[in-house]
Amino acid sequence: MNYIEAMNYINTAKNSGHEPGLLRIKKLLEKLGDPQKGLKFVHIAGTNGKGSCAAMAASVMKTAGYKTGLFTSPYLHSFNERMRINGKIIENDALTELVQRVKAAADTMESCPGSFELTTAAALLWFAEEKCDIVVLEVGLGGRFDATNIIDKPEAAVIMNIGLDHCAILGDTVEKIAAEKAGIIKEGCPCVLYQQTPSVTEVIENVCKEKHSQLHICDFSKIELEFDSLYGQSFAYKGNAYALPLLGENQRKNSAVVIELAEVLREKGWNIPQEDLEHGIYAVIWPARFELVKDEPLFVVDGGHNPQCARTVVDNLGKYFGNYHHIMLVGLMADKDYESVMKILNLTADKFVCVSFDSERALEAEKLAEIAEKFGKPVKVFNNVKDGVGAALDWADSKEDMICAVGSLYLAGEVRECFDLR
C-alpha cells in the first residue's frame, strides 16, 4: 500500500447503514492492542471553536514541555494535518504504514468501520507508539457516539460553544445537541464549559451532577480587551495578561476556556507555569480563522460553515473592516443550512462571488447564486475557487474594497493555496 492507496481506502470507507455506537471502534482498537488505554487525554466537543481551543491547548502543553498529540478534523490542505505531535504533521510514510495496519485489523471485522473510525484508530495508534504524554482530542461529530469517545476518563472534558448544526443527527434544539455533546463527560471527569445560554448550561450541569464531575464555567465578563488590530490582540483574563495572534472576540473567549483548562490540569498535577500558558497561547498557529492572507486588497479567509460562524464573521467584519465595502466570496456544503448562512452574510455583503469547491458535498455555485441574487446585489458565479478568487480581486478596484472568503474549511484551503499558503 502506498500513500495514495491509503488515502483512497480511508476516503472511500462509508458510514452508511451503520447504527450509531462505539462497538465498531471498540472492536477495531481491541484488535490493535487498545492503544488508547496507555494515553492521557483532553477531550473537546462543541459546535464552534473546538478546533481553535484544541490548537491552543496543544500549544500550551507543548510549551510546558510535554510531548503533545493533537487530533482534529477536517483539514485545510492535507489529510495528514489531522494528526500532529508537538505541532509537526504526520509524514506520508508513517501514515501509510498506520493505515495498512488498521486496514488489516478492519478486514477481519464483520462490519467494516467507517472513515472517521479508521482515522481515529490510526491516530490513537500513532500517539501511543510515539509515547505522547498527553493527547488533545477533538470530537468529530456530537460526542456520545463519536469514535473519539472510546477513550476512558480523560484528564478533562471541554465543551465549547453549542449551536444548531447537524440537526438531523444530533437533534433540533440546542438542548438536545448539548445532551449529545455532554456524552464525553465521564464519571469523576472534570469539565470545562464555554459560557453558554442558561438552558444549555443547565443540561451540562445536570450531566456533571450525574457523573460526579466538577464543572468549571468560564466567566467572559472577566475578559478585558487591551489591544486589538488586524495582526493580533491582547487581553487580560482574571488579572493575567495574554497576547493572541488569532482575531476576534470569539477567539478571546476560546482562549479563556484554555486558561480555565490549564487550571484544571494543574489541579491534576500537570506542571503548567503561567509563563508557558501565556507563551503557548501567543504561539498558537491555526489558519483560516478570520485570517488575513493579503494586504492589498485586504483579503480575509474564514472556514466558518454554519449560521453561528456566519454571525461571528459579520461581527468581525464590522469590527475590523466597518468602513470598507465587503466582497463576499462564498462556497458552502449542500448539507449545511446554506440559506440561513447567506441571509446572515447579506447583512454586511456589498457584492457576492459564489463558487463551488472540490468536494462531492459542495453546493453548486449556481444554486448559491440564486439565493444571493434575491438580495438585489451584484453576483458573480464560478465553478471553481481559483477563478472566483481572481474575479474577487478584480472586483476590488478601490481602496475601500475588501474581500472575505467564507463558507467551509474546504473552501478556505483552496483559497489559501491561491496565495501559495499551506
Side-chain angles (χ1 to χ4, degrees):
M1 177 182 283
N2 59 34
Y3 177 76
I4 294 175
E5 291 169 338
M7 291 300 93
N8 184 60
Y9 170 71
I10 291 289
N11 292 327
T12 56
K14 300 297 183 183
N15 297 304
S16 58
H18 280 172
E19 290 294 324
L22 301 177
L23 183 59
R24 287 178 306 278
I25 185 68
K26 181 177 184 294
K27 288 184 176 180
L28 179 58
L29 289 171
E30 284 175 353
K31 291 176 180 292
L32 293 168
D34 279 327
Q36 78 282 5
K37 295 291 187 180
L39 292 167
K40 296 183 181 297
F41 296 94
V42 168
H43 203 186
I44 303 176
T47 306
N48 298 313
K50 61 183 184 292
S52 296
C53 175
M56 281 188 258
S59 180
V60 167
M61 297 309 288
K62 171 181 175 286
T63 303
Y66 295 104
K67 189 171 186 179
T68 305
L70 174 63
F71 181 64
T72 59
S73 59
Y75 56 88
L76 282 172
H77 306 289
S78 166
F79 180 93
N80 303 42
E81 295 170 25
R82 300 174 71 166
M83 307 173 200
R84 309 170 192 239
I85 295 178
N86 282 354
K88 185 177 180 181
I89 296 168
I90 188 170
E91 298 285 348
N92 287 359
D93 289 347
L95 181 55
T96 301
E97 192 267 342
L98 287 166
V99 172
Q100 192 165 358
R101 291 163 62 191
V102 170
K103 181 180 185 301
D107 285 347
T108 67
M109 295 172 58
E110 274 188 37
S111 178
C112 182
S115 176
F116 188 72
E117 291 166 324
L118 296 167
T119 303
T120 301
L124 293 173
L125 189 58
W126 186 49
F127 295 141
E129 294 185 345
E130 291 296 319
K131 296 180 171 53
C132 288
D133 297 314
I134 192 166
V135 174
V136 180
L137 198 63
E138 180 191 352
V139 166
L141 175 62
R144 184 164 59 112
F145 293 132
D146 188 78
T148 63
N149 205 29
I150 194 63
I151 65 171
D152 293 331
K153 181 174 71 174
E155 297 296 281
V158 180
I159 299 181
M160 298 299 291
N161 193 22
I162 293 175
L164 293 173
D165 201 8
H166 302 292
C167 295
I169 300 172
L170 302 179
D172 57 1
T173 68
V174 290
E175 292 79 18
K176 290 178 182 178
I177 293 172
E180 288 296 318
K181 296 184 185 297
I184 70 169
I185 302 171
K186 295 181 170 65
E187 185 71 25
C189 164
C191 176
V192 179
L193 180 65
Y194 184 103
Q195 189 174 321
Q196 312 273 346
T197 61
S199 62
V200 169
T201 301
E202 183 179 4
V203 171
I204 306 301
E205 285 176 335
N206 289 338
V207 173
C208 285
K209 288 177 183 176
E210 293 171 8
K211 298 291 185 179
H212 305 98
S213 167
Q214 186 175 9
L215 180 60
H216 304 258
I217 304 175
C218 289
D219 184 355
F220 294 150
S221 70
K222 300 291 179 64
I223 299 175
E224 300 176 29
L225 179 62
E226 296 176 348
F227 174 78
D228 197 4
S229 79
L230 287 177
Y231 305 97
Q233 56 182 315
S234 62
F235 64 96
Y237 182 67
K238 294 186 175 179
N240 291 309
Y242 302 89
L244 178 66
L246 306 179
L247 304 184
E249 179 184 8
N250 58 308
Q251 295 295 2
R252 294 196 293 275
K253 292 178 177 179
N254 294 340
S255 298
V257 174
V258 174
I259 295 165
E260 294 286 353
L261 170 63
E263 186 57 38
V264 169
L265 293 176
R266 286 167 177 158
E267 291 174 3
K268 293 183 71 69
W270 295 87
N271 182 27
I272 309 172
Q274 180 62 25
E275 61 194 39
D276 289 339
L277 173 59
E278 294 169 10
H279 182 71
I281 289 174
Y282 174 74
V284 67
I285 298 173
W286 201 233
R289 277 70 180 180
F290 209 76
E291 176 191 16
L292 182 66
V293 297
K294 185 175 174 62
D295 289 312
E296 293 184 10
L298 290 162
F299 200 127
V300 168
V301 177
D302 191 276
H305 60 276
N306 58 34
Q308 294 79 25
C309 295
R311 170 57 66 182
T312 297
V313 168
V314 169
D315 290 344
N316 283 339
L317 286 172
K319 167 67 177 177
Y320 296 104
F321 304 102
N323 295 323
Y324 287 81
H325 300 136
H326 301 149
I327 300 169
M328 305 301 294
L329 174 66
V330 187
L332 288 155
M333 293 288 198
D335 56 0
K336 295 295 182 181
D337 186 4
Y338 51 83
E339 291 195 13
S340 294
V341 170
M342 289 295 287
K343 287 178 182 178
I344 293 169
L345 295 179
N346 181 55
L347 297 174
T348 193
D350 293 288
K351 300 175 182 178
F352 284 99
V353 179
C354 298
V355 300
S356 295
F357 46 87
D358 186 17
S359 170
E360 61 182 18
R361 293 167 54 204
L363 183 68
E364 294 177 6
E366 290 78 8
K367 289 187 178 180
L368 200 55
E370 289 176 7
I371 299 171
E373 286 167 353
K374 294 177 183 178
F375 303 137
K377 296 172 182 177
V379 179
K380 292 185 178 182
V381 189
F382 298 92
N383 290 319
N384 66 82
V385 172
K386 184 177 180 180
D387 289 346
V389 169
L393 290 170
D394 290 341
W395 224 348
D397 55 5
S398 164
K399 290 185 177 181
E400 296 177 348
D401 294 329
M402 65 83 57
I403 303 163
C404 178
V406 63
S408 168
L409 279 175
Y410 294 101
L411 168 70
E414 291 190 40
V415 171
R416 294 183 88 249
E417 288 169 12
C418 292
F419 298 99
D420 295 323
L421 296 172
R422 283 188 175 271

